[in-house]
Amino acid sequence: MPEKTLDVLFHETLKDIYYAERQILKALPKMARAAQSADTKAAFEKHREETEGHVERLQQVFEIVGKRAQGKTCEAIQGIIAEGEEIIEEFKGSPALDAGLISAAQAVEHYEIARYGTLKTWAQQLALNEAALLLDQTLQEEGATDKALSKLAVSAANVQAKNTA
Ligand SMILES: [Fe+2]
Ligand SMILES: [Fe+2]
């Protein structure tokens, strides 16, 4: 059995996030369609475009390590996305829908931030400097998205409060 070194772990985690990003790419249009406010829709649509870039960067990282771009089923992201779908079902037509969608999207971002933070550090340790740079670019975008969603969450909750006052 080959030794399970850090580069093996790096490659396995790369497959995990590659799978996750492609699932996210499918989930974001559904969330944009479900969202009630124009701002929330726009935020999801903007991040869908960014996510296309995340998939492309991962393909570049696979190339750098000389591996085929390939995903590995990640049950964690499946569960997080399923929670978002549950919110769409259960809060359809309710004033709290957008607040729920934003919270689901932030759970996705936090998953991604955890993965990219780890992968970037490992890439640095493996002296894969170009890969580390690519992973960091995506990490920055995930962080910025999370912050934008936090702001949106406050206004979405305000709208909800007004509607129910
Ligand atoms: Fe992403
Ligand atoms: Fe993201």
Side-chain angles (χ1 to χ4, degrees):
M1 210 163 103
E3 226 186 319
K4 298 256 169 106
T5 48
L6 188 61
D7 61 310
V8 175
L9 192 57
F10 180 79
H11 182 221
E12 288 305 306
T13 309
L14 207 56
K15 290 198 281 188
D16 174 292
I17 193 68
Y18 189 61
Y19 174 87
E21 287 284 18
R22 290 193 303 174
Q23 296 302 307
I24 295 163
L25 203 51
K26 283 193 244 170
L28 280 168
K30 290 184 205 163
M31 292 175 72
R33 270 199 300 279
Q36 287 168 331
S37 90
D39 286 353
T40 310
K41 273 183 196 296
F44 291 156
E45 276 159 12
K46 179 182 177 216
H47 198 53
R48 194 202 62 81
E49 276 174 34
E50 286 175 343
T51 299
E52 282 180 0
H54 301 173
V55 169
E56 280 166 25
R57 282 194 197 114
L58 287 173
Q59 289 166 347
Q60 291 177 48
V61 176
F62 276 110
E63 223 177 286
I64 290 168
V65 295
K67 306 272 189 198
R68 185 167 68 87
Q70 182 190 12
K72 178 177 82 174
T73 305
C74 165
E75 286 176 12
I77 200 70
Q78 284 179 340
I80 294 170
I81 290 173
E83 273 186 8
E85 284 166 355
E86 219 174 276
I87 286 169
I88 295 175
E89 286 283 304
E90 288 175 10
F91 285 82
K92 210 183 283 167
S94 122
L97 175 64
D98 281 18
L101 287 174
I102 293 164
S103 79
Q106 283 194 283
V108 171
E109 292 316 304
H110 284 237
Y111 179 80
E112 292 182 290
I113 289 166
R115 282 289 176 261
Y116 280 107
T118 296
L119 281 166
K120 176 196 156 182
T121 303
W122 288 346
Q124 286 166 339
Q125 284 164 343
L126 293 164
L128 299 166
N129 297 334
E130 202 191 328
L133 224 69
L134 288 162
L135 294 162
D136 184 60
Q137 282 170 5
T138 299
L139 179 62
Q140 299 305 320
E141 281 179 10
E142 309 292 16
T145 301
D146 181 48
K147 284 206 186 79
L149 289 172
S150 285
K151 273 195 197 152
L152 209 53
V154 175
S155 56
N158 283 343
V159 169
Q160 132 97 10
K162 258 186 236 155
N163 285 348
T164 51

